[in-house]
Amino acid sequence: MMHRFTWAVLCCLMLGCAVAKHKKEARKKPVVFMGDSITQGWQALMPEFFAGKPYVNKGIGGQTTRQMLARFQADVLDLHPHAVVILGGTNDIAGLGGDMPVDSIFRNIVAMAGMASAKGIKVVLCSVIPAYEYACCKTVKPVPLIAALNEKISRYCREEGIPFVDYFPVLADEKRGLAPVLTGDGVHPNRAGYEKMRPLLEKAIARSYQ
C-alpha cells in the first residue's frame, strides 16, 4: 500500500514538473500583435510595453482585414508563436479597401482566428476601437458599423471560449466616438489612450498562459 502511495505521489510530482516546464517554455515563445496602424502605433508611442517581452508587432498602417488575412501565414503562423492578438476592421469600415460589409470583415477575423487555433496558437480578439467619423471618409458613419462588428466578435469569442478584449467602454465618449483626450485625430489612440488599453490586454494575454 505504501509503495502504491509513493508511486502516486511521484507521478503527481512528475506531472506537476512537466506542466511547469511547459508553461515556462510557452512564455519564451512570441506573442504576435496583428493589426493596422492602431497596433503599429502602440509600439511607437509606448515602447516600454514591448520592451523585455516576447512581443512581436506586426501592425501595418492602412491595412484592412483582407490584407491582414493575406499575410497571416508569413507574419503569424510561420513564427510559431504562443499567441496572436488580432485587432483590425476600422480601415474596412472606413472603406479603404472598397465597400466591405460587416459580415465580410467578421469572416476575415474569424478566418485568422481559425488558422491560428488549428496550429495550437492561442487567440486573443480585440474590439474595434471607437470612431465617430473618419477624416478621410466623411460620408461613412462608423458608429453603428463598429457596434455591429464588435457584437459579432464578442459573440464569437463567447461561443468559442476565446478571450475578448473590449476597449470600447474605456475609450468611448458620449457620442460613442474616441474620447478627445485619448486621441489626436479621432481614430488613433494617443499615449493616454494606450494607457487605458494596456491593462485590458495584459489581462487577456495572461489568461492565454493558463
Side-chain angles (χ1 to χ4, degrees):
M1 182 66 73
M2 182 60 72
H3 176 74
R4 290 180 180 176
F5 175 77
T6 302
W7 180 246
V9 170
L10 285 173
C11 287
C12 288
L13 289 173
M14 291 170 64
L15 179 60
C17 289
V19 171
K21 182 179 179 181
H22 175 75
K23 288 184 176 181
K24 185 176 181 180
E25 290 175 350
R27 291 185 178 277
K28 295 179 182 178
K29 297 175 72 175
V31 174
V32 180
F33 288 58
M34 168 57 79
D36 49 37
S37 57
I38 294 170
T39 295
Q40 185 179 38
W42 197 322
Q43 188 159 11
L45 292 180
M46 189 179 285
E48 70 274 16
F49 178 56
F50 293 82
K53 304 182 186 75
Y55 293 171
V56 179
N57 192 310
K58 291 293 183 177
I60 297 180
Q63 285 212 327
T64 63
T65 55
R66 181 185 296 158
Q67 293 169 308
M68 290 165 56
L69 179 58
R71 63 184 174 92
F72 199 78
Q73 177 71 47
D75 280 0
V76 178
L77 302 186
D78 288 351
L79 300 183
H80 307 289
H82 162 70
V84 59
V85 177
I86 301 173
L87 169 56
T90 198
N91 289 326
D92 303 71
I93 291 172
L96 298 192
D99 184 46
M100 179 71 76
V102 167
D103 284 345
S104 297
I105 304 169
F106 175 65
R107 282 196 294 270
N108 288 339
I109 293 170
V110 168
M112 287 186 277
M115 290 170 65
S117 295
K119 296 293 186 180
I121 299 167
K122 301 290 186 180
V123 176
V124 176
L125 294 183
C126 304
S127 68
V128 178
I129 70 171
Y132 184 72
E133 65 179 6
Y134 298 112
C136 64
C137 321
K138 292 288 189 179
T139 59
V140 177
K141 305 299 180 185
V143 171
L145 300 175
I146 290 173
L149 179 55
N150 283 343
E151 175 55 33
K152 287 180 178 291
I153 299 171
S154 176
R155 187 186 310 118
Y156 173 76
C157 288
R158 290 196 301 270
E159 293 172 350
E160 299 296 324
I162 294 173
F164 175 62
V165 183
D166 189 2
Y167 294 130
F168 208 89
V170 300
L171 298 178
D173 62 7
E174 66 280 357
K175 297 193 300 183
R176 300 174 72 194
L178 190 52
V181 296
L182 303 178
T183 182
D185 62 3
V187 176
H188 299 88
N190 56 21
R191 183 179 172 88
Y194 287 118
E195 288 283 7
K196 294 281 189 179
M197 297 163 67
R198 178 176 181 168
L200 302 180
L201 184 53
E202 286 178 331
K203 183 178 179 179
I205 293 174
R207 179 181 165 189
S208 75
Y209 290 106
Q210 296 176 355

